[in-house]
Amino acid sequence: MSQKSLSDLNACSKDDFVAALSNIFEYSPWIAERAATGRPFVGVQQLFDAMKAAVGDAGPELRLALIKAHPDLANKTERAAGLTAESLSDAEYEAFERVNNAYRSKFGFPYIVCVRRHTRDSILRDFERRLPNDAAAEMRTSIDEICRIAALRVDQLMASDDRLKVHGRLSTHVLDTHGGRPAAGIAVELVELSELGANRVVTRTVTNSDGRTDRPLIGGRPVPIGRYELTFSVGDYFAGRQVATSDPPFLDRIPLRFSVSEPEGYLHVPLLVTPWSYATYRGS
Amino acid sequence: MSQKSLSDLNACSKDDFVAALSNIFEYSPWIAERAATGRPFVGVQQLFDAMKAAVGDAGPELRLALIKAHPDLANKTERAAGLTAESLSDAEYEAFERVNNAYRSKFGFPYIVCVRRHTRDSILRDFERRLPNDAAAEMRTSIDEICRIAALRVDQLMASDDRLKVHGRLSTHVLDTHGGRPAAGIAVELVELSELGANRVVTRTVTNSDGRTDRPLIGGRPVPIGRYELTFSVGDYFAGRQVATSDPPFLDRIPLRFSVSEPEGYLHVPLLVTPWSYATYRGS
Amino acid sequence: MSQKSLSDLNACSKDDFVAALSNIFEYSPWIAERAATGRPFVGVQQLFDAMKAAVGDAGPELRLALIKAHPDLANKTERAAGLTAESLSDAEYEAFERVNNAYRSKFGFPYIVCVRRHTRDSILRDFERRLPNDAAAEMRTSIDEICRIAALRVDQLMASDDRLKVHGRLSTHVLDTHGGRPAAGIAVELVELSELGANRVVTRTVTNSDGRTDRPLIGGRPVPIGRYELTFSVGDYFAGRQVATSDPPFLDRIPLRFSVSEPEGYLHVPLLVTPWSYATYRGS
Amino acid sequence: MSQKSLSDLNACSKDDFVAALSNIFEYSPWIAERAATGRPFVGVQQLFDAMKAAVGDAGPELRLALIKAHPDLANKTERAAGLTAESLSDAEYEAFERVNNAYRSKFGFPYIVCVRRHTRDSILRDFERRLPNDAAAEMRTSIDEICRIAALRVDQLMASDDRLKVHGRLSTHVLDTHGGRPAAGIAVELVELSELGANRVVTRTVTNSDGRTDRPLIGGRPVPIGRYELTFSVGDYFAGRQVATSDPPFLDRIPLRFSVSEPEGYLHVPLLVTPWSYATYRGS
C-alpha cells in the first residue's frame, strides 16, 4: 500500500478519496464518504477525527454492520502478526477459537480487539474481562477497538507532517555504577512472556557507548500490552573489564521482568549495575 | 548414626574411637588410628585437625589408596542428595558418567568432589576445570575434597560446644520502600537453576512481619555453589495493600538471579521494592 | 540514685515504697501511695501501670495540682540535657521563655513536655501545635507527657527482668556495593540539626568489619524527635582502597538528612555506596 | 564585544584580523599575526588551533613574555566572576594574595589559571599542587591555562557553525519511584560549597512535568571544578500529593553533595525518591 499525501486527498475527487481510504474500515465505504464532506483537512489527525465522527454519528444498524464486517479473531491475529496458523501454539489456537466462539454465541458478532496493541496473553485476558459485559457495552468497546485499528492503518497510509499518537516506545539504558560510566557493549535481549505458548524473542541488541541501544527496543508502533523480560549480560561485561568478582560471578545474566500497560506510552526500563548490586525503575 | 560426645571419644578405648569414626573417611581406619594418639581433644575442630594431619602426613601410596576407596561420582551424587538414578535427568546422568569415565581413564582414580557443596551444574563445571590438570595436582585436590566430605561427616556425627565452619547461609529480606516498612506476607520461591536438567525448587516461603523469612532460605548446611533464582510475588503484595498501580501491574513476580561461590559464607540477597522500582545487592 | 529491686519494693513497708518512688512524679506522693495497694507487682510494667492508673483515676483538682507541680520548661530543658543556661543559644533561650510565658498565661499552668523525647527544635514545634488547644485537651496532653517523664524515671530507678518500652535505637550500616562487602573503617558523624541554635554533634564513630558501628548511634534511651544529618567519609574509604575515581572524587563526605518521629522506635539508616552512586532507605 | 563571523575574518585584511582577535591573548598581537597566514579557516576550531600552534612554536622568551603579560590572580578572579574585591571574603582575598605572592616570588611570573573552569576552592587547591613544580613545568602549565582562557574568549567572540568544546553541563532529574512518574514541581537549589568563604547559591529552580529543569543547572559554560550541594524539597512535594508519611516527614530537604572534576563534561545527577528512600548516581 503506497503512501498518500494529505494534499492529494484534499484535492482529489470524492470517489478517489473513498477509494484511497477503502482499507481503513472493513467493507464500510460510507465512513470515508461522510468524512469527505469535511475536506480540506489541515492534518492527518483532523482527517481521522472526521472518520471517527462519521462512525460516532452513525445509527445502531450501521455500527452493528461495521462490527460484523470484521473477521474472526484467530484469523486476524495471524494476519496482524504476519503469522500462519502454525505459528500459534496449539493451546493458543484453541484458546483463541474458544474465545471467539463463546463471544460470538453470546453477542452475535465477532470478538474485535486491536491486536497490534496486545500480546497473545493480553488478548485472552481482555476477552475474559469483556465476556461478562452486556451487548451495549460491547458494541461501544468494539467500535473503540475498530477505531484503534483504523488509526494504525491511517498512520501507515498517510504521509503527513503531523502524526497520530499511535506509537509507543520501550527503551533501556545501562549505567555501570561500579565504573561511574555508561555500560557499553552489554548484550540485551527482550522476550515477550507467554502463559499458553512459547516465550518469544522480540529483539536482541547491544548497548552503545552511551549505555543505550541505537534504536528503541520497541518503537514506531504500539508497545503491546503484556509481560516482558529484559536480560542483560553483565557477567561478560565486567569480566571484559577485568573487574574482580567471585567465581562464578554473583551476577551474570540479569533478568528484569515487567509489564506494559500503555501501548502508546514511553516506557524506559534502565539498569544501574555493579558486579554486586543492581536497581531498576520505571522511567519515561 | 547417633551423635557422639567429645568426652566419650576422649575417654573410650582406641578401638572404640576408631569404630566411632569409621564412616568419616571411606575404608581408611588408619586415619582415626593415627589421630587417636592426639587425645584428649579440647574441641571438634582439634579432633578434625588431627585427622586431617594424619592424612597430610601419610605417604603417597596411602593417599592414593584413600582416593581409590571412593565410589564413582554418579553414585555419590545420588546418595548425597537422597536421589535415585531416575531423579537425575538423562542428560545429567550421561554427563556425570562421561565425567567420571574421562577422569578415571586419565588419572586412574575416580573423580572426587564434595557434592554437598555443589549443584549439579557446578560439579560438571568443576570437572571441566580439573580434567586438564596433572596427576599430582589432582591428588592434592582430591584429598582436599575428601577432607571437606569428612568435615561435614564429623560435624553431623559429633555433639560438641564448638562447631566446624562447614555451614553457610542464604537469607533474604524485603523492604517496602513505598510504604517505608518491612514487606510482610510476600511469597518467596528459591529455585536452583540447571543447564542440563530441570530447575529445582529449593524452598517456598513467605516473609514475616519483619520482612524476613522465619528460617534462612538455606541454612545449617553448605550453600551449594551454583546459580539460583529468587522470585518475589510483589504484585499480590501491593494489590493487597490497595496501592494504585497500572493494569497489569508494572512489577508482579520479580526474579533475582545470582550465583553462590562460597558454600560456607553468609549470603544475604535483599529486595528493596516499590510498585515501580526495585534494587538488590549482595549483603552479608 | 541507686537502683531498686522489684522484690524489695514488693516486700518493704508502704512508707518505704512511697519514699523509694518519691522522684517519679514531682511532689506527688499520693500516686505511689495509691499504687502501693496493688502490690506485689510481677514486673516493672505492672508497677508503672498501677502508678499511671492512680493518675488516671484522680480527680481534676489533683491532676491540675500534679501539672502545676512541674517547673518551667527552660529550667527543665537545661536539667534534662545536663546543660547550664549558657549552653542554650540566645535565640533558643528566648524562644523557650516565650513559649513558657505564652502557654502559662493562656492555661495557668506550665508547658510540660518530656524533653528527653525531643530535640530543641521539636519542643518548639510541639508548643506551636499545642498552644491553640483548649484547656481540657492540654490537661490530657500534660498528663500524658508527665507519664512519659515518669516512665523514663521508673526505667532508670528499677532493676528488673522486664523493661518499659521507653528506649529507641538509631543505627546505620555501610555497604560497599563497589567491592561487594561491608564497608569497614568509614568515619561516621551524627549531628542534630537546629534552626534556632547551633547544630550539635551527637556522636562520631567508625564502621567495624561488618560495616556497622559497634554500638547504635543512639541507643538505651529515646531517640529525640527532630532532624538529623549523618555524614559518611566515603572519599577517604575508597582512596584507601586504591579505587580509581575522579579528582576531586565525585563523592567525598556524603550527608544523609532525615527526621526521627518515633522516639521509642528502631530506625535504621543504611548507606549503599560506590564511588559514583549511593542509596539509603528507612530500615528497621 | 560584538560577535565576528568566520567568513569576515577569512576575508578581511591582516590588520583587521589581528585587531579582531586582539583580546584573545593578552597584549600579544604576534599570535594573531602568525595565525593569519593560515587563512582561510574552515571553522572556529581550525582558527583556534592555528593560534595555539603559533603559541606552541614560539621561542621561550616570547612564551615567557606572554605569561608575564597576565595580571595577578586576585584581580583576574574578580574580573572573571564580575566581582568587586569586596565580594571575596577576607579569608579568600588573603589566600589569593598569598598564593600569588608566593608563586610570583618563586617563579618570577604571575600564577595563571583559567578561573572560569574553577571554583575559588579549587583555584587554591590547584595552586597548592603547582607551587612545588619546577619553572619548566609551570611554564608549560601556564601556557595551557592561557590557551584555555583564549579558547573561551574565541568561543564568545566568534559566530560560527562549529563550536569549540569549552562548555560543560550539569543537569538533574527527579523520579518519584513512589508514584512511578517524573516528580514535577520539586524546588531544587544548587550551592557551590566553599571552605574559606561563604557557600554561594548558583541557581534555584523547580522541576518541570518531565521531572527535569527547563534549563541545565549549569550550561553554556565550563562547569567549575569544585564541590557542590544540590538540595531537593521532597517533603513539600509528597505532602502536596497527600502521600502518608511520618510527622515530621522522614525525608524533607534532601542534600546531594558531589564534586565536579571535568568542566567540559556532561554531568547528570539524578534523584530517585520515595518518602522513605532515595538514590543518586553520576549519570551522563
Side-chain angles (χ1 to χ4, degrees):
Chain A
M1 188 156 60
S2 74
Q3 286 204 308
K4 314 286 184 192
S5 79
L6 188 66
S7 55
D8 285 357
L9 284 201
N10 275 331
C12 69
S13 72
K14 184 170 174 180
D15 281 358
D16 286 351
F17 179 87
V18 171
L21 299 175
S22 60
N23 287 316
I24 303 303
F25 289 91
E26 315 261 325
Y27 308 106
S28 305
W30 56 270
I31 298 171
E33 277 163 23
R34 293 182 186 190
T37 64
R39 293 191 292 173
F41 299 114
V42 298
V44 167
Q45 183 68 53
Q46 201 186 35
L47 162 63
F48 179 67
D49 289 345
M51 297 182 86
K52 215 170 151 183
V55 174
D57 294 342
E61 294 81 13
L62 214 42
R63 290 155 63 98
L64 185 58
L66 172 61
I67 292 170
K68 289 189 169 173
H70 281 74
D72 280 350
L73 175 69
N75 298 333
K76 182 181 260 171
T77 307
E78 293 151 27
R79 190 177 49 180
L83 302 170
T84 62
E86 283 82 343
S87 69
L88 285 172
S89 73
D90 287 352
E92 286 173 334
Y93 191 83
E94 280 168 34
F96 283 133
E97 272 214 327
R98 198 172 52 246
V99 163
N100 199 68
N101 294 343
Y103 190 93
R104 183 184 279 281
S105 75
K106 172 167 179 183
F107 296 111
F109 50 79
Y111 174 64
I112 300 173
V113 65
C114 177
V115 294
R116 293 189 61 204
R117 300 177 72 251
H118 288 271
T119 58
R120 296 169 190 188
D121 276 17
S122 80
I123 288 173
L124 294 170
R125 190 163 161 270
D126 186 64
F127 162 74
E128 279 162 26
R129 295 192 173 178
R130 286 170 55 183
L131 189 60
N133 291 343
D134 63 22
E138 274 310 297
M139 279 197 59
R140 280 192 304 274
T141 300
S142 297
I143 293 293
D144 285 349
E145 292 293 320
I146 287 168
C147 287
R148 284 171 163 158
I149 295 165
L152 284 165
R153 290 173 178 173
V154 166
D155 177 70
Q156 264 190 303
L157 179 70
M158 300 298 301
S160 171
D161 290 340
D162 72 322
R163 300 291 300 263
L164 298 184
K165 288 183 181 48
V166 291
H167 296 172
R169 188 175 65 203
L170 174 63
S171 58
T172 189
H173 185 194
V174 189
L175 215 87
D176 168 1
T177 48
H178 179 274
R181 63 176 77 86
I186 295 222
V188 178
E189 184 184 71
L190 176 68
V191 169
E192 177 191 316
L193 302 179
S194 170
E195 282 180 10
L196 282 180
N199 294 340
R200 196 168 63 85
V201 175
V202 178
T203 189
R204 290 196 180 92
T205 182
V206 172
T207 56
N208 58 24
S209 64
D210 197 31
R212 304 179 189 272
T213 57
D214 285 341
R215 283 180 302 183
L217 299 168
I218 295 179
R221 60 176 175 105
V223 184
I225 295 170
R227 294 181 310 120
Y228 295 85
E229 188 165 292
L230 260 173
T231 307
F232 300 85
S233 296
V234 303
D236 289 346
Y237 169 81
F238 285 116
R241 304 187 80 87
Q242 275 80 44
V243 171
T245 60
S246 58
D247 177 26
F250 179 60
L251 299 174
D252 185 7
R253 287 171 50 84
I254 295 179
L256 302 183
R257 205 174 289 163
F258 59 91
S259 287
V260 167
S261 58
E262 298 171 1
E264 290 80 22
Y266 286 4
L267 179 60
H268 185 62
V269 183
L271 178 71
L272 312 177
V273 67
T274 80
W276 314 102
S277 65
Y278 64 92
T280 190
Y281 56 88
R282 186 175 86 153
S284 58
Chain B
M1 191 159 52
S2 74
Q3 286 204 307
K4 314 285 184 194
S5 81
L6 187 68
S7 55
D8 285 357
L9 283 201
N10 275 332
C12 68
S13 73
K14 184 172 175 178
D15 281 358
D16 286 351
F17 179 87
V18 171
L21 299 174
S22 59
N23 287 317
I24 302 301
F25 288 91
E26 316 262 327
Y27 309 106
S28 305
W30 57 270
I31 299 171
E33 277 162 24
R34 296 183 184 190
T37 64
R39 293 189 292 171
F41 299 113
V42 300
V44 167
Q45 182 69 52
Q46 203 186 34
L47 163 63
F48 179 67
D49 289 345
M51 298 182 84
K52 216 170 148 182
V55 174
D57 294 342
E61 295 80 12
L62 215 43
R63 290 155 61 98
L64 185 59
L66 173 60
I67 292 170
K68 289 189 168 172
H70 282 74
D72 281 350
L73 174 69
N75 298 334
K76 182 181 260 170
T77 308
E78 292 152 24
R79 192 178 48 182
L83 302 171
T84 62
E86 286 81 346
S87 70
L88 285 171
S89 74
D90 287 351
E92 285 172 334
Y93 191 82
E94 280 168 35
F96 283 135
E97 272 214 327
R98 197 173 53 244
V99 165
N100 198 67
N101 294 344
Y103 191 92
R104 184 182 279 279
S105 74
K106 171 166 181 184
F107 296 111
F109 49 80
Y111 174 64
I112 301 174
V113 65
C114 177
V115 295
R116 292 189 61 205
R117 299 177 73 252
H118 287 271
T119 57
R120 297 168 189 189
D121 275 16
S122 80
I123 288 172
L124 294 170
R125 190 163 161 271
D126 186 62
F127 161 75
E128 280 163 25
R129 294 192 174 181
R130 287 170 55 184
L131 190 60
N133 292 343
D134 63 23
E138 274 310 296
M139 280 196 59
R140 281 192 303 275
T141 299
S142 297
I143 294 293
D144 286 349
E145 292 293 319
I146 286 168
C147 287
R148 284 171 164 158
I149 295 165
L152 284 165
R153 290 174 178 171
V154 166
D155 177 71
Q156 264 189 304
L157 180 70
M158 300 297 303
S160 171
D161 290 342
D162 73 321
R163 299 291 300 264
L164 298 183
K165 287 180 180 53
V166 291
H167 296 171
R169 189 176 63 203
L170 174 62
S171 58
T172 191
H173 184 194
V174 189
L175 214 87
D176 168 3
T177 47
H178 179 274
R181 63 175 76 86
I186 294 221
V188 178
E189 184 184 70
L190 176 68
V191 169
E192 177 191 317
L193 302 179
S194 172
E195 281 179 10
L196 281 179
N199 295 338
R200 197 169 61 84
V201 175
V202 178
T203 189
R204 289 196 180 93
T205 182
V206 172
T207 56
N208 59 25
S209 64
D210 196 31
R212 303 179 190 274
T213 58
D214 286 342
R215 284 180 302 186
L217 299 168
I218 295 179
R221 61 176 174 102
V223 184
I225 295 169
R227 295 181 310 120
Y228 295 85
E229 187 164 294
L230 261 172
T231 307
F232 300 86
S233 297
V234 304
D236 289 347
Y237 170 80
F238 285 116
R241 304 186 81 89
Q242 274 81 45
V243 171
T245 61
S246 58
D247 177 25
F250 178 60
L251 300 174
D252 185 7
R253 287 170 51 83
I254 294 178
L256 302 184
R257 206 174 287 165
F258 59 92
S259 287
V260 166
S261 58
E262 298 171 2
E264 292 79 22
Y266 286 5
L267 178 60
H268 185 61
V269 183
L271 179 71
L272 312 177
V273 65
T274 78
W276 313 104
S277 65
Y278 64 93
T280 190
Y281 55 90
R282 187 176 85 152
S284 59
Chain C
M1 188 158 56
S2 74
Q3 286 204 308
K4 316 285 183 193
S5 80
L6 188 66
S7 54
D8 286 356
L9 282 201
N10 276 331
C12 69
S13 72
K14 183 172 175 179
D15 282 358
D16 286 351
F17 179 86
V18 171
L21 299 174
S22 60
N23 287 316
I24 302 302
F25 289 91
E26 314 262 327
Y27 309 106
S28 305
W30 57 269
I31 299 171
E33 276 162 25
R34 296 182 183 189
T37 63
R39 292 190 292 174
F41 298 114
V42 300
V44 166
Q45 182 68 53
Q46 201 185 35
L47 163 63
F48 178 68
D49 287 347
M51 298 182 84
K52 215 169 150 183
V55 174
D57 294 341
E61 294 79 14
L62 215 43
R63 292 157 61 99
L64 186 58
L66 172 61
I67 291 170
K68 288 188 169 173
H70 282 73
D72 280 351
L73 174 69
N75 298 333
K76 183 181 258 170
T77 307
E78 292 151 27
R79 191 177 49 183
L83 302 171
T84 61
E86 285 82 345
S87 70
L88 285 171
S89 73
D90 288 350
E92 287 173 333
Y93 192 83
E94 279 167 36
F96 283 134
E97 271 215 326
R98 198 172 53 243
V99 164
N100 199 67
N101 294 344
Y103 190 93
R104 183 184 278 279
S105 75
K106 171 166 180 183
F107 295 112
F109 49 79
Y111 174 63
I112 300 174
V113 65
C114 177
V115 294
R116 293 188 62 205
R117 300 177 74 250
H118 288 272
T119 58
R120 295 168 190 187
D121 276 17
S122 80
I123 288 172
L124 294 171
R125 191 164 160 270
D126 186 63
F127 161 73
E128 279 163 25
R129 294 191 175 182
R130 287 169 55 183
L131 189 60
N133 291 343
D134 64 23
E138 274 310 297
M139 280 196 59
R140 280 193 304 274
T141 299
S142 297
I143 292 293
D144 286 349
E145 291 293 319
I146 286 168
C147 287
R148 284 170 163 160
I149 295 165
L152 284 165
R153 290 173 177 172
V154 166
D155 177 70
Q156 264 189 303
L157 179 70
M158 300 297 303
S160 171
D161 290 341
D162 71 322
R163 300 291 300 265
L164 298 183
K165 287 181 180 49
V166 292
H167 296 171
R169 188 175 64 204
L170 175 63
S171 58
T172 189
H173 185 193
V174 189
L175 215 87
D176 168 1
T177 46
H178 180 273
R181 63 176 76 85
I186 295 223
V188 178
E189 183 183 73
L190 176 67
V191 168
E192 176 191 317
L193 302 179
S194 170
E195 282 180 10
L196 282 180
N199 295 338
R200 197 168 62 85
V201 175
V202 178
T203 189
R204 289 196 181 91
T205 183
V206 172
T207 56
N208 58 25
S209 64
D210 196 31
R212 303 179 190 272
T213 58
D214 286 342
R215 283 180 302 185
L217 299 169
I218 295 179
R221 61 176 174 104
V223 184
I225 295 170
R227 295 181 311 121
Y228 295 86
E229 187 164 293
L230 261 172
T231 307
F232 301 84
S233 297
V234 304
D236 289 346
Y237 169 81
F238 285 115
R241 305 187 80 88
Q242 274 80 44
V243 171
T245 61
S246 57
D247 176 25
F250 179 59
L251 300 175
D252 185 8
R253 288 171 49 83
I254 295 179
L256 302 184
R257 204 174 289 165
F258 59 91
S259 286
V260 167
S261 58
E262 297 172 2
E264 291 79 24
Y266 286 4
L267 178 60
H268 185 62
V269 183
L271 179 71
L272 312 176
V273 66
T274 79
W276 313 103
S277 64
Y278 64 93
T280 189
Y281 56 88
R282 187 175 87 152
S284 58
Chain D
M1 189 157 58
S2 74
Q3 287 203 307
K4 314 284 183 193
S5 80
L6 187 68
S7 54
D8 285 357
L9 283 201
N10 276 331
C12 69
S13 72
K14 184 171 174 178
D15 282 358
D16 286 351
F17 180 86
V18 172
L21 299 175
S22 60
N23 288 317
I24 303 301
F25 289 92
E26 314 262 326
Y27 308 107
S28 305
W30 58 269
I31 299 171
E33 276 163 24
R34 296 183 185 190
T37 64
R39 293 189 292 173
F41 299 113
V42 301
V44 167
Q45 183 68 52
Q46 204 187 32
L47 162 64
F48 179 68
D49 288 346
M51 298 182 87
K52 218 170 150 182
V55 174
D57 294 341
E61 295 80 14
L62 216 42
R63 289 156 63 100
L64 186 59
L66 172 61
I67 291 170
K68 288 189 168 171
H70 282 73
D72 281 349
L73 174 69
N75 298 333
K76 183 181 260 171
T77 308
E78 293 151 25
R79 190 177 49 181
L83 302 172
T84 62
E86 284 82 345
S87 70
L88 286 172
S89 74
D90 288 351
E92 286 173 335
Y93 191 82
E94 281 167 34
F96 282 134
E97 272 214 326
R98 199 173 52 246
V99 164
N100 198 67
N101 295 343
Y103 191 93
R104 183 183 279 279
S105 74
K106 171 166 180 184
F107 295 110
F109 50 79
Y111 175 64
I112 299 174
V113 64
C114 178
V115 294
R116 293 188 62 203
R117 299 178 74 251
H118 288 271
T119 58
R120 296 168 189 188
D121 276 17
S122 80
I123 288 173
L124 294 171
R125 191 163 160 271
D126 186 62
F127 161 73
E128 280 163 25
R129 295 193 171 180
R130 287 170 54 184
L131 189 59
N133 291 344
D134 63 23
E138 274 310 297
M139 278 196 59
R140 281 193 303 274
T141 300
S142 297
I143 294 293
D144 286 350
E145 292 293 319
I146 286 168
C147 287
R148 283 169 165 161
I149 295 166
L152 284 165
R153 290 174 178 171
V154 167
D155 177 71
Q156 263 189 305
L157 180 69
M158 299 297 302
S160 172
D161 289 342
D162 72 322
R163 299 291 300 263
L164 298 184
K165 287 182 180 48
V166 291
H167 296 171
R169 190 177 61 203
L170 174 63
S171 58
T172 190
H173 185 194
V174 189
L175 215 87
D176 168 2
T177 48
H178 179 274
R181 64 175 76 85
I186 295 221
V188 178
E189 184 184 72
L190 176 68
V191 169
E192 176 191 317
L193 302 179
S194 170
E195 281 178 11
L196 281 179
N199 294 338
R200 196 168 63 84
V201 175
V202 178
T203 189
R204 289 195 180 93
T205 182
V206 173
T207 56
N208 58 26
S209 65
D210 197 31
R212 303 178 191 273
T213 57
D214 285 342
R215 283 180 304 184
L217 299 168
I218 295 179
R221 60 177 175 103
V223 184
I225 295 170
R227 296 181 309 121
Y228 295 86
E229 187 165 293
L230 261 173
T231 307
F232 300 85
S233 297
V234 304
D236 289 346
Y237 169 80
F238 285 116
R241 304 186 81 88
Q242 274 80 44
V243 171
T245 60
S246 59
D247 178 24
F250 179 60
L251 300 174
D252 185 7
R253 285 171 51 84
I254 295 179
L256 302 183
R257 205 174 288 164
F258 59 91
S259 286
V260 167
S261 59
E262 298 171 3
E264 291 79 23
Y266 286 4
L267 178 60
H268 185 63
V269 182
L271 178 71
L272 312 177
V273 65
T274 78
W276 313 103
S277 65
Y278 64 91
T280 189
Y281 56 88
R282 187 175 86 152
S284 58

